[in-house]
Amino acid sequence: MAGNSAKREFTCTECGWTNAKWVGQCGECQAWNTLVEGAAGGGRGLGTVRSIRPSAIVGSAAARPITDVSTERVSSRSTSVSEFDRVLGGGLVPGAVVLLSGEPGVGKSTLLLEVASNTAKSGARVLYISGEESTGQIRLRAERTGALSDNLMIASETDLSAVLGQIEAVKPELLVVDSVQTIAASELDGAAGMPAQIREVAANLIRVAKSTNLPIILVGHVTKDGSIAGPRVLEHLVDVVCHFEGDRQTSLRFVRSLKNRFGPTDEVGCFEMTGEGIREVTDPSGLFLSRPEQPVSGTCVTVAIEGRRALIAEVQALVVKTSSPQPRRVVNGVDASRVAMLLAVLERRAGLRLSEMDVYVSTVGGVKLTEPASDLAIAVAIASAVQDKAIAHDLVAYGEISLAGEIRQVTNARQRETEAARLGFARQVDASVGGLKSALALALNW
């Protein structure tokens, strides 16, 4: 019995670190409660170091000057979905592995079926493998969204060896796997979705991608806290990590690039979910505006920066006298703590009596404003609601408000000004007007 116990070891499911006995915290990645018992020799622990002989390097594998390396084989190819190309940095690079994550039902499969269909219609052979749907279900969705093409091959597989066999038989120019958590290698113990299974599946697919210059898009599930399910090493192995986000109550969807070895990581693609599938939104500013014919108090327009694009967004505020000892502060689309701070600044620096008022602040169209540049628009909307005085239709406000009541300069000010002027907003309130009281007086009396 003692000999058998000595042959067991504990392996971290996040990073692969091994230890002879169980401990609560991994000694390498510092994750808690991730060590599981397994057979010795399966991980890269602190055991004996074996001497490995160097292998002979011949042919194209030999190191050479970087100036002699050709880039013709790694130029990107468009997916015919311009918003997705924007996030990827121009398109799919041969041999690149893209991981797309998102909440259930947000539209990941719909987007990738659209990408696969457009690529197939351009003449390339595409293989779409689903471990969640049958081929009949995929066909029904493709008919509804108009994604039918003879070059689009579909298969329903959950075994890694079967997936590799499909790749050998079809020889596609693009592979979509939906999702990596549903594929399992029969050689390993454990069900699909376990960290060891995800590592094995991802490693084999990445090996195929690099050896055959096959671009692969993997769908990844997310946990309840929004992070990608499985070991963290999955995000390190792939070339591009994108997150697909959106609110179920609205049709707007965003694709954000979190990691990109071939392009910028601050790009955002905008889409709209419709009954016929997913539609690109090249100019999403109109989705975030609700402009009645007559100006209404409590509304103000701002210019937000999402990635590298400027978006017009509208902030609405409602202020009413409270009937309870504790005034209500209800927000939607903006940060609650930021609004609480702005209310304190407005009361102390601008003289607005808000301690006896219920305050409701919301954005239009489901957009989320997180950058400090939206502070001034929120403050103007609240002040407009308190005084019941509407601001001009062609006025836009942006700027960060400090606790001292100062308005600070924001980044990309020229880009914000250009976008506002393009959409007909001739009057702008920003840091150039002075302090908070001056900005409110100008916005409400213009």
Side-chain angles (χ1 to χ4, degrees), residues 14 16 52 85 89 119 123 154 177 233 262 265 280 312 367 373 389 400:
E14 292 292 327
I52 301 177
D85 287 343
T119 305
I154 61 175
V177 179
V233 70
F262 313 112
T265 57
E280 296 179 72
I312 295 292
V367 64
K389 183 182 294 187
E400 180 183 358

Side-chain angles (χ1 to χ4, degrees), residues 315 342 346 352 374-384 401 436 440:
V315 180
L342 292 175
L346 284 171
L352 297 181
S374 61
D375 287 354
L376 186 55
I378 297 173
V380 170
I382 294 173
S384 172
I401 298 177
L436 178 59
L440 294 180

Side-chain angles (χ1 to χ4, degrees), residues 202-220:
N204 277 273
L205 292 177
I206 291 172
R207 175 183 55 80
V208 172
K210 303 305 180 185
S211 61
T212 62
N213 278 332
L214 170 65
I216 299 178
I217 303 178
L218 305 176
V219 176

Side-chain angles (χ1 to χ4, degrees), residues 268-350:
V268 176
C270 297
F271 299 88
E272 184 180 13
M273 187 66 69
T274 65
E276 292 75 30
I278 198 163
R279 182 178 67 87
E280 296 179 72
V281 182
T282 56
D283 188 10
S285 294
L287 298 176
F288 308 138
L289 288 177
S290 175
R291 311 296 286 167
E293 294 183 2
Q294 296 296 328
V296 179
S297 63
T299 65
C300 184
V301 175
T302 186
V303 185
I305 298 294
E306 287 286 351
R308 293 189 175 185
R309 59 169 55 175
L311 301 178
I312 295 292
E314 183 177 349
V315 180
Q316 297 183 343
L318 179 64
V319 178
V320 295
K321 189 171 181 61
T322 185
S323 58
S324 62
Q326 187 70 26
R328 300 190 65 187
R329 304 289 188 255
V330 181
V331 301
N332 181 31
V334 293
D335 184 50
S337 59
R338 196 81 187 174
V339 172
M341 185 201 74
L342 292 175
L343 292 176
V345 174
L346 284 171
E347 183 155 355
R348 179 67 177 85
R349 305 297 181 185

Side-chain angles (χ1 to χ4, degrees), residues 144-430:
R144 178 174 57 85
T145 60
L148 296 177
S149 174
D150 291 336
N151 284 331
L152 177 56
M153 316 295 289
I154 61 175
S156 179
E157 301 288 355
T158 57
D159 184 71
L160 177 60
S161 59
V163 172
L164 298 178
Q166 293 280 5
I167 297 173
E168 285 287 330
V170 176
K171 291 182 172 51
E173 298 175 60
L174 171 64
L175 172 66
V176 178
V177 179
D178 184 11
S179 65
V180 67
Q181 279 88 0
T182 61
I183 309 298
S186 57
E187 295 80 4
L188 292 181
D189 295 332
M194 297 294 290
Q197 289 283 3
I198 295 176
R199 276 197 301 268
E200 184 71 13
V201 171
N204 277 273
L205 292 177
I206 291 172
R207 175 183 55 80
V208 172
K210 303 305 180 185
S211 61
T212 62
N213 278 332
L214 170 65
I216 299 178
I217 303 178
L218 305 176
V219 176
H221 294 167
V222 296
T223 60
K224 60 183 179 181
D225 61 352
S227 60
I228 300 175
R232 192 74 176 182
V233 70
L234 176 62
E235 299 174 51
H236 293 285
L237 290 175
V238 300
D239 300 304
V240 183
V241 179
C242 297
H243 185 66
F244 199 30
E245 63 184 40
D247 192 345
R248 288 175 177 265
Q249 279 68 44
T250 63
S251 60
L252 187 66
R253 302 289 187 268
F254 285 115
V255 177
R256 301 181 186 273
S257 175
L258 306 180
K259 170 190 175 181
N260 195 343
R261 290 173 178 164
F262 313 112
T265 57
D266 56 355
E267 278 292 2
V268 176
C270 297
F271 299 88
E272 184 180 13
M273 187 66 69
T274 65
E276 292 75 30
I278 198 163
R279 182 178 67 87
E280 296 179 72
V281 182
T282 56
D283 188 10
S285 294
L287 298 176
F288 308 138
L289 288 177
S290 175
R291 311 296 286 167
E293 294 183 2
Q294 296 296 328
V296 179
S297 63
T299 65
C300 184
V301 175
T302 186
V303 185
I305 298 294
E306 287 286 351
R308 293 189 175 185
R309 59 169 55 175
L311 301 178
I312 295 292
E314 183 177 349
V315 180
Q316 297 183 343
L318 179 64
V319 178
V320 295
K321 189 171 181 61
T322 185
S323 58
S324 62
Q326 187 70 26
R328 300 190 65 187
R329 304 289 188 255
V330 181
V331 301
N332 181 31
V334 293
D335 184 50
S337 59
R338 196 81 187 174
V339 172
M341 185 201 74
L342 292 175
L343 292 176
V345 174
L346 284 171
E347 183 155 355
R348 179 67 177 85
R349 305 297 181 185
L352 297 181
R353 298 292 300 272
L354 297 169
S355 58
E356 301 176 354
M357 299 288 185
D358 290 336
V359 179
Y360 304 84
V361 180
S362 177
T363 57
V364 174
V367 64
K368 291 181 174 58
L369 299 177
T370 57
E371 58 174 350
S374 61
D375 287 354
L376 186 55
I378 297 173
V380 170
I382 294 173
S384 172
V386 170
Q387 300 185 15
D388 196 19
K389 183 182 294 187
I391 66 174
H393 246 73
D394 59 348
L395 184 141
V396 65
Y398 51 85
E400 180 183 358
I401 298 177
S402 70
L403 293 178
E406 302 169 340
I407 302 178
R408 298 172 178 167
Q409 291 282 354
V410 296
T411 59
N412 305 104
R414 181 55 61 91
Q415 185 180 0
R416 299 175 199 264
E417 181 181 351
T418 302
E419 179 67 10
R422 183 181 72 85
L423 294 175
F425 292 90
R427 311 179 192 186
Q428 299 186 29
V429 179
D430 53 20

